[in-house]
Amino acid sequence: MDKSTKFESLALIVLTLMLVSVFVLSVNMYEDIAANTEEGKLAVVASAVRNYLDESDAVAAFFGFEEIETEESLNIADEAAAYIERYNRIYEDIK
């Protein structure tokens, strides 16, 4: 029974040290991220991503920020509606 207790104690110590290490690392990382967000690389990257999303119509349409209606998209919507209707009728006939 003593051998089992030593193993559990060792495991508890290791897990506690890991938890404290993660906490210390996260605090240090937060300080670095906060500093970089204000004046560093993260601000530049965030600005570049924001500009890319604002300037690219295709990306904006993909994420649903704006709708682009072209002749091709209207044809695809009509074809999709016809496809759905056809298979709905097939499923109704099977039931």
Side-chain angles (χ1 to χ4, degrees):
M1 195 108 174
D2 187 34
K3 187 177 184 180
S4 165
T5 306
K6 287 182 182 180
F7 176 73
E8 291 173 357
S9 299
L10 181 64
L12 183 60
I13 289 170
V14 169
L15 290 174
T16 303
L17 289 175
M18 288 174 60
L19 181 62
V20 169
S21 299
V22 167
F23 175 74
V24 170
L25 287 174
S26 67
V27 168
N28 288 336
M29 286 176 57
Y30 177 76
E31 290 173 358
D32 290 341
I33 289 173
N36 283 334
T37 301
E38 293 174 0
E39 60 199 36
K41 295 178 183 176
L42 289 177
V44 173
V45 170
S47 176
V49 169
R50 192 174 306 115
N51 289 339
Y52 180 73
L53 288 175
D54 289 342
E55 294 173 3
S56 178
D57 292 336
V59 172
F62 176 77
F63 285 114
F65 297 142
E66 89 181 37
E67 292 242 354
I68 298 175
E69 291 196 17
T70 62
E71 185 66 32
E72 183 180 333
S73 67
L74 294 175
N75 290 341
I76 291 173
D78 292 339
E79 289 175 12
Y83 176 84
I84 292 169
E85 181 64 31
R86 185 177 85 206
Y87 278 96
N88 282 342
R89 278 185 276 146
I90 290 172
Y91 290 137
E92 289 297 320
D93 292 341
I94 292 173
K95 289 181 183 181

